[in-house]
Amino acid sequence: MLGNCGLAEDINRCSHYIRDKRGCGADHKKCGFFEPTGKVKETTSPKAPKWFEQYYK
C-alpha cells in the first residue's frame, strides 16, 4: 500500500482500493483522494505583501 484513500469507504468504487487496508494499491498521484503516507507536506513561502499593504502603517 502506497497511501491512504480519503474517499469514504461506502461510496468508493475505485478498482485500486484495498478495502482491508483502507488504502490505494496503485502507484499514482493523480487521484484527488490519494493521501501519501509518511511524507510531510512542504510549507509554502510567506505571503507576499499586496501593493496597498504599504499604506496600512
Side-chain angles (χ1 to χ4, degrees):
M1 179 172 70
L2 298 172
N4 295 330
C5 185
L7 190 60
E9 187 174 341
D10 57 343
I11 61 171
N12 197 332
R13 301 282 185 245
C14 180
S15 59
H16 303 291
Y17 183 70
I18 301 172
R19 195 171 291 272
D20 296 338
K21 296 183 180 181
R22 295 184 180 172
C24 183
D27 184 19
H28 62 77
K29 296 184 171 100
K30 294 181 181 179
C31 178
F33 301 106
F34 183 75
E35 300 170 354
T37 56
K39 294 183 181 178
V40 177
K41 292 183 180 180
E42 296 180 14
T43 58
T44 58
S45 61
K47 183 184 93 167
K50 305 284 184 189
W51 66 270
F52 55 85
E53 289 179 348
Q54 64 183 339
Y55 300 110
Y56 283 166
K57 295 179 181 178

